[in-house]
Amino acid sequence: CGPDSFDCSGAIIYGIREVANPDFGRYNTNDLYNKYTLPTDRAVAGTVNYYDYENDGYIDHVTTNVGNGNIIHPSQNVGNIYERPAAGLADYVTSHGGSVYTGQLDWQKIINEN
């Protein structure tokens, strides 16, 4: 993945490799949530949103908060990474029975991963 094409977890991992750990492994959204994320209730720039579309305990998608109520939304279907209002995707997911979780990446754990 990247730098010309990303899925959602690939975009996050590309950023992690660029700023913190060039050897960071390849993980799916569920792994990122379960292994490298600390829960928070504050959606501020730099936090990430995880989407469980079917509310089945499996994370299906991830976006990054950039401030002003917006997210960076990597979309494999569209083939782009674009900025959009966070509320739109969150409302869509919850109105269809899913859940959204906000977290903060555990940078210490990410940096120390071999």
Side-chain angles (χ1 to χ4, degrees):
C1 274
D4 298 323
S5 174
F6 295 100
D7 63 6
C8 61
S9 59
I12 300 291
I13 290 167
Y14 181 81
I16 288 170
R17 288 177 182 162
E18 288 293 304
V19 300
N21 182 348
D23 298 320
F24 190 70
R26 175 70 176 113
Y27 298 99
N28 64 34
T29 54
N30 203 60
D31 290 336
L32 286 173
Y33 178 74
N34 288 310
K35 295 178 182 180
Y36 297 100
T37 303
L38 304 169
T40 184
D41 58 358
R42 296 185 57 214
V44 297
T47 57
V48 288
N49 301 310
Y50 293 93
Y51 305 86
D52 178 352
Y53 289 148
E54 297 177 7
N55 208 25
D56 60 1
Y58 187 84
I59 303 300
D60 302 292
H61 189 56
V62 61
T63 63
T64 305
N65 291 299
V66 293
N68 298 322
N70 289 333
I71 57 173
I72 294 296
H73 183 233
S75 176
Q76 190 171 16
N77 294 338
V78 176
N80 291 325
I81 297 176
Y82 56 98
E83 188 172 335
R84 69 182 281 186
L89 183 57
D91 291 347
Y92 174 82
V93 170
T94 57
S95 72
H96 287 83
S99 296
V100 181
Y101 309 103
T102 300
Q104 178 178 332
L105 292 175
D106 185 343
W107 289 105
Q108 191 65 37
K109 191 171 184 179
I110 288 168
I111 291 167
N112 290 325
E113 184 195 76
N114 295 332

